[in-house]
Amino acid sequence: AQSVTQPDIHITVSEGASLELRCNYSYGATPYLFWYVQSPGQGLQLLLKYFSGDTLVQGIKGFEAEFKRSQSSFNLRKPSVHWSDAAEYFCAVGARSGGYNKLIFGAGTRLAVHP
Amino acid sequence: EAQVTQNPRYLITVTGKKLTVTCSQNMNHEYMSWYRQDPGLGLRQIYYSMNVEVTDKGDVPEGYKVSRKEKRNFPLILESPSPNQTSLYFCASSSSGEVYGYTFGSGTRLTVV
């Protein structure tokens, strides 16, 4: 069965430091992969997605992610974190179910940013 | 503005009192879904709809009902809410032509006491 694992529940970084959020997936075929961000009191916003092609994907807000098939990973990175990046981040894999394209989410990683 | 609108944003209710959370989208999307978000579990799909009058169960459908009588609306119905349905609920929609191009609502925080 398809699944997504985000090993880190909470991460704290200092403003200006680099960030890497980990995501591992389990999927039989070539996956469709996503990173979403949820700011406090807000819905989910798509940061970036990978369907095929270049394994390094650029997203909004200065984020990027790298698809590594050999490691079944899709880690999210940002070179310099801003205080406004404090939020919860969800990795997801797309899965086809009964003709419907559904998203399977990881448990999320909550990011705190120290000034 | 293209959006998915959920109402209410916050709701506190008592066990057993029927409630409906509304979801409406203005993008003429065919696909709509409901998810619940719980700490440590991420988002899990409750029900989905591929078009008017076409709905099906997701991963955690117990205790919920949905209907899709109009393309723009996809209400979530809790006939007899219980405390284990206390959660944050999200509605999402997408076009059948844009694979996984989901737009999410702002969420409904439900507390059942």
Side-chain angles (χ1 to χ4, degrees):
Chain A
Q2 304 96 337
S3 65
V4 176
T5 302
Q6 294 180 244
D8 305 305
I9 298 173
H10 294 280
I11 284 184
T12 300
V13 300
S14 297
E15 191 168 17
S18 63
L19 172 70
E20 182 169 31
L21 302 183
R22 296 183 292 163
C23 172
N24 293 97
Y25 67 89
S26 172
Y27 192 70
T30 300
Y32 294 163
L33 295 162
F34 307 83
W35 275 99
Y36 285 87
V37 61
Q38 183 183 24
S39 299
Q42 302 297 313
L44 277 77
Q45 182 181 22
L46 179 67
L47 285 175
L48 47 78
K49 61 186 177 184
Y50 171 78
F51 282 7
S52 65
D54 192 345
T55 57
L56 185 63
V57 181
Q58 301 298 319
I60 62 171
K61 304 187 179 186
F63 286 92
E64 66 177 26
E66 187 171 13
F67 170 59
K68 293 185 177 180
R69 183 188 302 275
S70 62
Q71 299 177 19
S72 297
S73 69
F74 189 56
N75 294 349
L76 182 71
R77 300 194 294 248
K78 187 169 185 177
S80 178
V81 170
H82 188 262
W83 64 265
S84 61
D85 293 324
E88 189 156 22
Y89 292 80
F90 292 95
C91 182
V93 64
R96 190 98 173 145
S97 174
Y100 188 86
N101 297 320
K102 67 184 283 185
L103 292 169
I104 297 173
F105 288 87
T109 297
R110 186 167 295 278
L111 174 66
V113 180
H114 280 177
Chain B
E1 179 189 355
Q3 59 185 358
V4 176
T5 303
Q6 295 179 229
N7 281 296
R9 290 293 306 276
Y10 301 91
L11 179 60
I12 301 175
T13 190
V14 297
T15 299
K17 184 176 181 182
K18 181 180 178 179
L19 67 91
T20 299
V21 182
T22 64
C23 173
S24 180
Q25 50 93 4
N26 62 0
M27 296 164 282
N28 201 37
H29 284 170
E30 293 82 10
Y31 293 174
M32 298 187 75
S33 288
W34 276 103
Y35 289 85
R36 61 176 289 173
Q37 181 185 348
D38 301 292
L41 298 176
L43 285 83
R44 295 175 292 167
Q45 190 184 55
I46 303 170
Y47 267 94
Y48 65 91
S49 169
M50 295 177 68
N51 215 322
V52 175
E53 302 292 2
V54 181
T55 64
D56 207 347
K57 297 177 181 178
D59 299 315
V60 288
E62 293 76 20
Y64 303 95
K65 286 176 55 178
V66 293
S67 68
R68 187 93 183 271
K69 293 182 168 52
E70 304 166 284
K71 197 172 187 179
R72 64 183 291 122
N73 296 323
F74 190 45
L76 180 69
I77 303 157
L78 285 72
E79 295 269 3
S80 183
S82 63
N84 65 13
Q85 293 179 296
T86 292
S87 187
L88 179 59
Y89 291 87
F90 286 101
C91 181
S93 73
S94 76
S95 165
S96 60
E98 184 180 0
V99 179
Y100 299 109
Y102 285 100
T103 301
F104 283 82
S106 298
T108 295
R109 185 166 294 281
L110 171 66
T111 302
V112 183
V113 299

